[in-house]
Amino acid sequence: MFRQICNRLCPGEENRVGTRTVYVGHRPASVTDAYIAPKFCDNRIVSSKYTVWNFIPKNLFEQFRRIANFYFLIIFLVQAIVDTPTSPVTSGLPLFFVITVTAIKQGYEDWLRHRADNEVNKSTVYVIENAKRVKEESEKIKVGDIVEVRDDETFPCDLILLASSCGDGTCTVTTASLDGESNFKTYFAVRETSDLCSDEAVDTLRATIECEQPQPDLYKFVGRMNIYTNQEVKARSLGPENLLLKGATLKNTNKIYGVAVYTGMETKMALNYQGKSQKRSAVEKSINAFLIVYLSILVSKASICTTLKYIWQSNPGNDEPWYNEKTRKERESFKILKIFTDFLSFMVLFNFIIPVSMYVTVEMQKFLGSFFISWDKEMYDEEIKEGALVNTSDLNEELGQVEYVFTDKTGTLTENSMEFIECCIDGYKYKETGDGLSVTDGPAGIYGRASKDREELFLRALCLCHTVQMKDECQTDGPVTASESKCSYISSSPDEIALVNGAKKYGFTYMGTENDFMRVKNQKNEMEVYQLLHVLNFDPVRRRMSVLVRTNTDHIFLFCKGADSSVFHRVARDEVDRIKVHVEQNALDGYRTLCVAYKELSPEEYDKTNKQLEEAKIALQDREEKLARVFDDIEDGMHLLGATAVEDRLQEQAAETIEALHAAGMKVWVLTGDKMETAKSTCYACRLFQNTTELLELTTKNMEECERKEDRLQELLLEYHRKLVQEAPKIKAGVKRSWTGNQDFGLIIDGSTLSLILNSNYSSSHYKNIFLQICQKCTAVLCCRMAPLQKAQIVKMVKNSRGNPITLSVGDGANDVSMILEAHVGIGIKGKEGRQAARNSDYAVPKFKHLKKLLLAHGHLYYVRIAHLVQYFFYKNLCFILPQFLYQFFCGFSQQPLYDAAYLTMYNICFTSLPILAYSLLEQHISIEMLIANPKLYMRISDNAMLQWMPFLYWTALGAFEGLVFFFGVYFLFQNPSLEGNGQVFGNWSFGTIVFTTLVFTVTLKLALDTRYWTWMNHLVIWGSLAFYVIFSIFWGGIIWPFLRQQRMYFVFSHMLTSVSVWLAIILLIFISLYPEILLIVLRNLRSAGQKNLQFQLPMLISYKNVENGCLSRIKFEEYKLNPLLSSFDVYQ
């Protein structure tokens, strides 16, 4: 009693011991007990990143983590505090513009997340209070509330089922949005509460629930319900079959009552969400690296000019000329402080080498560019009337850099639609015909058929060995098949429905179960009734399920179906030989196979078995282990009847999409919660595994061969590592993604084995590295029986491996959210299994096939565009600031600006920003059709190829060359003392204006030379920007609008245009600056000039099976080499 009082007064003690106590309906165990409400979290779901209160400080903190933003903030503060040669407006205005635009964009995206959260949190639920239904918002549900949920409604939190409208206390649920399975599952209420199916009845319940603290495993739950009736206390165990999870949907049941045990962010669905982190693209990391280089150049320039200034001023005549004598204050000033001030002034003067406006251009390019994905009509699905969706536009370019694709299976690769194909009975293969069963093949090539009794026994086994239920005149989102009586079959397994339908086509129809009696209509339209005694449910260790039934003649049969590996060793050897060849052939054809066996039990054997089963079922400790031992004894000594083949229909073009991704150099891993046999069949069907692929397995089945699983696992890891890594042929240097060759190895691993590798104490980082190396050497990897967080662990392991490869995760259910958030890029499929994945993804597409265009076309173009944008910005800013640096050598390092303040401010904002923005949105250096038809083109830009140091140094050298040409070209022009016929001499502002005019025209025309895909928009912004610069300069000189007249720029531009020498110099300098680019284009065109008459044809998709050692076959290679378009881009080296 004292301990109970302490637990109630000190709820923190419960957390310490790992359990919690829930009071059903917030009522104490007895009327005399005092009730103190335990403290649990509310039922709000939060997927957003900001709130109204923290948006400004949090967003500013994230933005000023960027080097350029932080740098310009410092520069702005220096300009505002220290006397500098330029106004604070020149750096403050662009910085304010960048910060504001970025904040608006990110705020809008987070507002969409808030709206999605509110849809869930503000949804209507009904809570039972004082025997009445009370309408509440979902977020106000508290642990202990009794909640009513009706048919087709989603559970608002994790509930323990108390009662349902079904008399037996069961309900049917689909957990599609949680584990990706759109099939139906049955949940049960405790016997003592199952009849409390009204508001008044359930409100009389006095009970407490003791259960474990929240944990993310969807398939585990341990608890106990204490029911208080008068002075008696009944304890009933609770398991996963009693727990209704948030996000699951009630089906085929009018209503249920449940008590909330986990709410809000403590529900299993929320715990399987990874925390949202700021995803940063590889391009942004490259930008930061380049910024450090340019920042070093800036500091070097400022240091050089500061040093040379004081060297030059060491001459008294230079330091204090007669026309500019120093004041007394200047003479007495602290020299070190003066040196530091001069250094800061030079930093401000040269600060435009850091392109802060590049960030706002990149943000606009990403935001506007994302609309092209949403507008893509080829990614619009007529079935759901929706197209692609962009939730985060910050990662567009990452779509062009993907190396690993992690995909879910159910609902992503497949449609989860099963179809019965054929069966084998006693070695004879049967297929459906109009007359029913037709034998197509027999053992050893002998045509015939099994005996009539064996055929009927096999079909009866299909009709009885399952957990299928029937529903009259209903609509479900799971696998359904209408029967003659307007009924639907519903089940937790889609292949069970396919098998029952297969038996129905051959004359045996399952008619449902009523009061534990199963009814079957045979081929003679006679009704057969069987008493269902026990169901031995499927589990991943046994890989089979069985039923015990009693016939009208009091015969007791065990019918069993399961994977061949779990059934063959439990039947006679000669029976296996007749069936095995058909099972293997079906597996090679990509079908899901199940073997069917039976045995007859005597009354004495059944009595013994029944006693063992009942004892195991009521055990509170080690219940699963005790049941497993009983099941193992029962399912032994059986007779093999035959096998079935069921096809799981793939999504449209799923195989072609995986083939294209392989050809593009991407590795595809399948991460699924499904069983190994099913997943393996799907991998064969979608061409992830080939018939020639050698499969390596790290599964529970392999581990069972040794007493210590850890020792056996180490042996297998070392064996596979020696085979794939140590004995593998060396890869030629310079070959990209060479694993696309003939490395025909595939790896299969299950969740329990992965836990041993990643989580066990014995497993050092050495073995984890070995496992990772094995995975990386395999052509394809299949991970089955994965929990949601294990999927995220796999993605994280690869993401953090050597080289930091870019990862992409794609899935359609809430069980995929963790890996979607963990990967660099997350793709949600807008399937039938809820929208949690689509809401939490970076991009959402209707079907898996749309991934092909998203990556190969959109991703490729986005990366090329933004990479060119980044390099172009650094190039044009180096061209801009280098003449300013050189000018200091000719003005006594006096910090005199070369350009007018208006030109300094507007160069990046107005004069040169729109052309590169239009280029980065519209450019197609290769057509979309070509990119999709030739996946290998994707490899040209892999590994961040266009933002490596060599291209960066090329652009930097080009910018330095053109900056030197601008300055010294105009400098030599000014060697003529008079540039006008009237003898008037041009001044320093004329010098700077000529340099600036040449600069603006050159960098804009450079972009025109780079443009391959011209639209009216490109013409408008390129020629319009040049015209705007000329018009602005004329206005700024005060010719047309005198109120704009600036003293130092008055008539400067107009006077400059009156000189023929200036016109010729500008044209000549533009040509000299662009000559290297023009020369490269001419040479490239000359190389392909001899192929102009070649008829151009779009090449077909190259299967990765035909790619040898990372190269095309010689015939294909020559065909592509002759293609002028592809050869001009050096596609194949």
Side-chain angles (χ1 to χ4, degrees):
M1 177 65 71
F2 177 74
R3 178 172 295 178
Q4 291 178 355
I5 295 174
C6 289
N7 285 344
R8 292 174 190 169
L9 293 175
C10 306
E13 179 70 13
E14 296 179 358
N15 294 332
R16 188 180 72 80
V17 299
T19 61
R20 62 167 52 183
T21 300
V22 177
Y23 294 86
V24 178
H26 306 288
R27 287 183 293 275
S30 66
V31 180
T32 58
D33 286 352
Y35 173 69
I36 300 175
K39 294 182 179 179
F40 302 111
C41 73
D42 58 25
N43 199 39
R44 284 182 301 155
I45 292 293
V46 179
S47 63
S48 56
K49 188 164 61 172
Y50 303 112
T51 66
V52 174
W53 308 110
N54 71 9
F55 173 72
I56 292 178
K58 192 172 182 179
N59 187 265
L60 289 177
F61 172 75
E62 290 181 350
Q63 291 206 57
F64 283 117
R65 287 169 59 192
R66 288 176 168 171
I67 295 176
N69 289 351
F70 183 73
Y71 164 76
F72 266 85
L73 176 65
I74 299 299
I75 291 295
F76 173 73
L77 296 175
V78 169
Q79 286 180 298
I81 298 171
V82 181
D83 183 20
T84 56
T86 56
S87 168
V89 176
T90 58
S91 60
L93 185 62
L95 178 63
F96 176 77
F97 184 61
V98 170
I99 297 297
T100 303
V101 170
T102 305
I104 291 173
K105 170 182 167 292
Q106 294 181 350
Y108 171 74
E109 291 177 346
D110 201 63
W111 174 77
L112 294 178
R113 298 189 194 103
H114 271 283
R115 190 173 67 174
D117 289 343
N118 284 334
E119 288 180 5
V120 177
N121 294 332
K122 300 297 182 182
S123 60
T124 301
V125 297
Y126 290 94
V127 177
I128 306 302
E129 293 181 3
N130 299 321
K132 295 180 180 178
R133 294 174 73 234
V134 179
K135 188 177 180 180
E136 291 278 8
E137 292 179 346
S138 175
E139 64 183 1
K140 294 183 179 179
I141 293 177
K142 301 183 292 294
V143 171
D145 281 348
I146 298 177
V147 182
E148 179 188 287
V149 181
R150 294 187 176 269
D151 194 20
D152 288 327
E153 292 182 353
T154 300
F155 301 120
C157 57
D158 290 352
L159 304 168
I160 291 294
L161 178 61
L162 296 177
S164 76
S165 57
C166 300
D168 55 358
T170 62
C171 70
T172 308
V173 170
T174 175
T175 58
S177 62
L178 291 170
D179 55 14
E181 296 183 9
S182 59
N183 317 302
F184 289 83
K185 300 176 181 176
T186 303
Y187 289 80
F188 304 89
V190 175
R191 187 186 309 114
E192 283 75 12
T193 66
S194 60
D195 57 346
L196 304 176
C197 52
S198 67
D199 299 346
E200 296 78 10
V202 78
D203 195 57
T204 62
L205 177 64
R206 288 191 178 275
T208 60
I209 295 174
E210 297 176 65
C211 60
E212 60 189 354
Q213 290 292 353
Q215 53 99 356
D217 194 326
L218 297 175
Y219 310 106
K220 288 185 179 180
F221 177 75
V222 176
R224 179 173 60 191
M225 179 183 290
N226 299 311
I227 304 168
Y228 300 88
T229 56
N230 299 325
Q231 299 299 319
E232 185 182 0
V233 180
K234 295 182 179 179
R236 293 291 180 262
S237 63
L238 299 174
E241 69 276 6
N242 308 114
L243 183 67
L244 304 172
L245 299 178
K246 177 182 176 65
T249 304
L250 183 66
K251 292 288 183 182
N252 200 23
T253 308
N254 291 333
K255 68 176 180 179
I256 64 100
Y257 294 101
V259 58
V261 288
Y262 304 128
T263 52
M265 301 308 291
E266 290 184 343
T267 59
K268 289 184 180 289
M269 184 179 76
L271 290 175
N272 274 280
Y273 288 169
Q274 294 285 88
K276 282 187 177 294
S277 59
Q278 183 74 11
K279 292 185 178 181
R280 302 174 64 194
S281 68
V283 169
E284 187 172 337
K285 296 173 185 176
S286 298
I287 291 174
N288 288 339
F290 297 162
L291 280 174
I292 292 175
V293 173
Y294 269 64
L295 190 59
S296 302
I297 295 174
L298 171 62
V299 173
S300 302
K301 286 182 176 180
S303 301
I304 291 171
C305 287
T306 304
T307 303
L308 293 179
K309 175 179 180 177
Y310 282 91
I311 293 175
W312 188 77
Q313 288 183 353
S314 61
N315 185 338
N318 294 334
D319 184 34
E320 192 175 356
W322 59 268
Y323 55 83
N324 189 21
E325 294 184 358
K326 292 182 178 179
T327 63
R328 181 179 178 182
K329 182 179 180 181
E330 289 175 335
R331 290 193 183 97
E332 293 176 354
S333 63
F334 190 48
K335 191 168 185 178
I336 295 180
L337 181 62
K338 185 68 172 66
I339 292 174
F340 181 68
T341 304
D342 285 332
F343 174 78
L344 291 180
S345 297
F346 280 117
M347 288 282 289
V348 170
L349 187 63
F350 301 144
N351 80 84
F352 292 95
I353 196 174
I354 305 296
V356 67
S357 61
M358 177 181 67
Y359 275 105
V360 73
T361 308
V362 167
E363 293 290 344
M364 293 176 67
Q365 189 268 352
K366 290 181 176 181
F367 181 69
L368 297 175
S370 64
F371 287 104
F372 289 101
I373 295 177
S374 303
W375 293 337
D376 194 329
K377 293 182 179 179
E378 294 182 9
M379 299 172 71
Y380 181 84
D381 187 68
E382 291 291 342
E383 183 180 348
I384 63 173
K385 303 297 181 184
E386 290 186 46
L389 176 67
V390 179
N391 294 324
T392 303
S393 59
D394 291 337
L395 304 170
N396 293 342
E397 64 276 8
E398 292 290 80
L399 296 172
Q401 294 296 299
V402 175
E403 294 185 43
Y404 286 85
V405 175
F406 301 93
T407 176
D408 180 38
K409 182 189 76 70
T410 308
T412 303
L413 293 178
T414 70
E415 294 182 352
N416 208 20
S417 176
M418 308 295 178
E419 182 181 358
F420 186 91
I421 300 299
E422 62 183 48
C423 63
C424 168
I425 305 175
D426 277 351
Y428 296 93
K429 185 165 70 173
Y430 293 77
K431 277 199 171 184
E432 178 190 5
T433 64
D435 301 328
L437 287 174
S438 173
V439 181
T440 60
D441 193 10
I446 301 172
Y447 285 84
R449 63 190 307 152
S451 66
K452 186 68 173 177
D453 291 341
R454 298 288 285 186
E455 289 181 359
E456 292 183 352
L457 187 59
F458 177 83
L459 294 174
R460 286 190 179 96
L462 295 186
C463 287
L464 296 172
C465 186
H466 56 73
T467 57
V468 173
Q469 297 179 354
M470 299 193 70
K471 179 182 178 184
D472 294 332
E473 300 177 348
C474 66
Q475 295 294 326
T476 68
D477 64 353
V480 297
T481 301
S483 67
E484 296 174 357
S485 59
K486 296 185 178 179
C487 292
S488 298
Y489 293 137
I490 57 176
S491 172
S492 61
S493 175
D495 51 1
E496 284 194 329
I497 297 177
L499 295 178
V500 172
N501 283 326
K504 178 183 174 182
K505 292 176 182 177
Y506 300 149
F508 278 76
T509 304
Y510 170 63
M511 301 302 295
T513 302
E514 186 175 348
N515 296 325
D516 289 336
F517 285 91
M518 305 179 75
R519 295 177 298 129
V520 176
K521 184 184 292 185
N522 61 26
Q523 293 173 334
K524 301 176 182 177
N525 281 334
E526 298 172 347
M527 189 67 69
E528 300 177 1
V529 179
Y530 300 85
Q531 182 183 1
L532 180 62
L533 302 174
H534 289 284
V535 176
L536 283 57
N537 287 316
F538 175 88
D539 66 68
V541 178
R542 288 166 51 239
R543 299 188 296 278
R544 59 186 179 271
M545 70 90 60
S546 303
V547 293
L548 283 164
V549 296
R550 190 195 306 271
T551 67
N552 290 333
T553 58
D554 282 337
H555 288 86
I556 299 173
F557 286 95
L558 169 81
F559 290 110
C560 175
K561 73 170 187 287
D564 54 351
S565 57
S566 65
V567 174
F568 281 169
H569 66 281
R570 296 181 173 273
V571 299
R573 180 69 183 175
D574 58 329
E575 296 174 348
V576 172
D577 295 336
R578 294 199 300 265
I579 307 294
K580 189 174 183 180
V581 62
H582 294 283
V583 172
E584 291 177 348
Q585 183 58 48
N586 287 333
L588 290 177
D589 293 337
Y591 298 140
R592 297 158 60 101
T593 59
L594 287 174
C595 294
V596 180
Y598 84 103
K599 80 172 182 179
E600 186 174 356
L601 281 73
S602 66
E604 294 77 16
E605 289 175 326
Y606 173 72
D607 290 339
K608 179 183 176 182
T609 297
N610 182 59
K611 183 179 179 181
Q612 293 174 336
L613 284 172
E614 292 296 338
E615 290 176 353
K617 284 183 178 180
I618 63 174
L620 294 178
Q621 299 293 329
D622 302 326
R623 183 190 304 173
E624 292 182 358
E625 290 79 1
K626 292 178 179 178
L627 283 172
R629 286 196 293 269
V630 177
F631 291 171
D632 190 64
D633 291 338
I634 299 172
E635 297 169 330
D636 198 19
M638 298 184 294
H639 301 285
L640 189 61
L641 281 171
T644 62
V646 175
E647 182 181 24
D648 184 2
R649 190 182 307 157
L650 286 178
Q651 279 200 17
E652 181 186 5
Q653 298 183 24
E656 290 80 357
T657 301
I658 288 182
E659 185 181 44
L661 298 182
H662 269 288
M666 285 175 258
K667 276 192 172 182
V668 182
W669 292 24
V670 175
L671 312 182
T672 177
D674 215 335
K675 55 186 178 182
M676 186 183 76
E677 292 79 9
T678 304
K680 189 194 296 186
S681 299
T682 303
C683 289
Y684 276 110
C686 67
R687 305 178 200 167
L688 189 71
F689 293 155
Q690 302 294 313
N691 291 341
T692 57
T693 303
E694 181 179 345
L695 296 182
L696 312 175
E697 292 188 11
L698 291 172
T699 60
T700 306
K701 178 183 175 182
N702 299 101
M703 302 301 108
E704 290 173 351
E705 299 174 5
C706 185
E707 291 185 3
R708 279 184 51 83
K709 295 181 180 180
E710 293 85 353
D711 296 338
R712 176 59 179 163
L713 177 60
Q714 290 187 29
E715 292 177 10
L716 289 173
L717 285 174
L718 293 175
E719 178 187 342
Y720 294 162
H721 185 266
R722 182 172 60 255
K723 190 172 188 177
L724 271 68
V725 180
Q726 298 175 1
E727 299 176 0
K730 298 297 181 182
I731 300 170
K732 294 181 181 179
V735 178
K736 279 190 177 182
R737 304 188 183 183
S738 58
W739 46 262
T740 52
N742 287 331
Q743 300 181 22
D744 292 332
F745 290 101
L747 179 69
I748 301 176
I749 185 170
D750 59 15
S752 58
T753 309
L754 181 69
S755 297
L756 285 176
I757 294 174
L758 298 182
N759 302 328
S760 296
N761 294 328
Y762 92 93
S763 182
S764 64
S765 59
H766 175 65
Y767 285 104
K768 294 177 185 176
N769 292 334
I770 288 178
F771 170 68
L772 182 59
Q773 291 176 29
I774 293 171
C775 291
Q776 291 173 333
K777 287 293 182 180
C778 289
T779 309
V781 177
L782 166 63
C783 303
C784 49
R785 285 298 176 192
M786 291 282 122
L789 284 180
Q790 285 184 313
K791 293 184 178 184
Q793 283 181 310
I794 286 282
V795 176
K796 185 176 182 179
M797 178 187 70
V798 175
K799 186 175 76 170
N800 296 332
S801 64
R802 185 179 179 181
N804 300 115
I806 303 300
T807 57
L808 178 144
S809 293
V810 53
D812 65 324
N815 61 319
D816 305 314
V817 169
S818 293
M819 73 170 182
I820 284 174
L821 293 176
E822 182 63 51
H824 292 94
V825 184
I827 309 291
I829 302 293
K830 294 180 176 181
K832 303 173 183 177
E833 303 182 355
R835 293 300 170 91
Q836 283 86 346
R839 282 206 305 264
N840 287 275
S841 63
D842 302 307
Y843 304 88
V845 293
K847 295 286 179 63
F848 182 78
K849 66 177 181 179
H850 297 132
L851 199 63
K852 180 178 176 181
K853 185 174 185 182
L854 185 66
L855 297 181
L856 302 186
H858 289 292
H860 186 117
L861 293 176
Y862 278 130
Y863 175 77
V864 170
R865 292 164 180 169
I866 203 166
H868 198 283
L869 182 152
V870 170
Q871 300 280 27
Y872 178 79
F873 256 96
F874 283 108
Y875 148 79
K876 73 183 182 72
N877 277 36
L878 182 59
C879 293
F880 178 45
I881 216 65
L882 183 59
Q884 176 74 74
F885 171 70
L886 298 173
Y887 184 63
Q888 297 305 305
F889 288 84
F890 297 88
C891 67
F893 305 98
S894 61
Q895 299 155 11
Q896 168 67 32
L898 176 62
Y899 311 117
D900 180 66
Y903 289 159
L904 285 171
T905 303
M906 299 184 68
Y907 174 73
N908 279 316
I909 295 179
C910 299
F911 299 149
T912 60
S913 59
L914 287 180
I916 184 60
L917 178 61
Y919 176 95
S920 64
L921 290 173
L922 303 172
E923 174 64 7
Q924 293 182 24
H925 64 297
I926 302 177
S927 69
I928 290 178
E929 293 78 11
M930 176 69 72
L931 291 172
I932 294 176
N934 294 272
K936 199 169 178 66
L937 293 173
Y938 191 87
M939 295 178 65
R940 290 185 57 241
I941 60 169
S942 63
D943 302 322
N944 205 14
M946 295 181 66
L947 288 175
Q948 296 294 334
W949 288 109
M950 286 305 295
F952 173 71
L953 293 176
Y954 167 78
W955 281 90
T956 301
L958 186 63
F961 166 75
E962 294 182 5
L964 291 170
V965 170
F966 298 155
F967 181 82
F968 287 107
V970 178
Y971 176 77
F972 287 124
L973 174 67
F974 269 63
Q975 297 305 302
N976 181 1
S978 177
L979 294 178
E980 291 193 87
N982 58 8
Q984 183 177 351
V985 179
F986 280 1
N988 64 312
W989 294 115
S990 299
F991 183 91
T993 303
I994 296 173
V995 172
F996 190 79
T997 303
T998 309
L999 164 70
V1000 171
F1001 274 78
T1002 301
V1003 297
T1004 305
L1005 292 175
K1006 165 73 170 72
L1007 192 63
L1009 287 174
D1010 290 340
T1011 302
R1012 298 286 183 272
Y1013 186 76
W1014 284 92
T1015 66
W1016 66 268
M1017 184 68 73
N1018 295 95
H1019 285 288
L1020 176 66
V1021 295
I1022 287 178
W1023 314 123
S1025 294
L1026 296 178
F1028 173 75
Y1029 164 69
V1030 174
I1031 295 172
F1032 172 82
S1033 298
I1034 293 174
F1035 275 59
W1036 189 245
I1039 295 178
I1040 299 178
W1041 288 351
F1043 65 87
L1044 287 177
R1045 183 177 63 191
Q1046 299 291 314
Q1047 187 66 35
R1048 61 188 183 188
M1049 293 300 293
Y1050 183 60
F1051 266 64
V1052 167
F1053 191 77
S1054 301
H1055 285 163
M1056 183 191 77
L1057 296 180
T1058 61
S1059 173
V1060 177
S1061 301
V1062 172
W1063 279 89
L1064 292 175
I1066 290 175
I1067 295 173
L1068 180 63
L1069 291 177
I1070 292 173
F1071 176 76
I1072 293 174
S1073 300
L1074 296 178
Y1075 181 74
E1077 287 291 310
I1078 297 173
L1079 185 62
L1080 285 175
I1081 293 174
V1082 170
L1083 291 176
R1084 189 178 299 150
N1085 290 337
L1086 286 175
R1087 189 175 65 175
S1088 58
Q1091 307 298 331
K1092 289 182 179 179
N1093 296 327
L1094 182 68
Q1095 183 179 3
F1096 178 75
Q1097 295 180 347
L1098 284 178
M1100 299 299 291
L1101 174 65
I1102 308 155
S1103 171
Y1104 78 99
K1105 294 178 290 185
N1106 299 326
V1107 179
E1108 298 181 1
N1109 299 322
C1111 300
L1112 299 175
S1113 66
R1114 182 169 299 277
I1115 296 177
K1116 285 284 184 184
F1117 180 84
E1118 294 300 329
E1119 291 176 5
Y1120 284 104
K1121 192 173 180 182
L1122 293 175
N1123 188 309
L1125 176 60
L1126 294 181
S1127 62
S1128 66
F1129 286 103
D1130 299 325
V1131 177
Y1132 305 106
Q1133 298 294 337

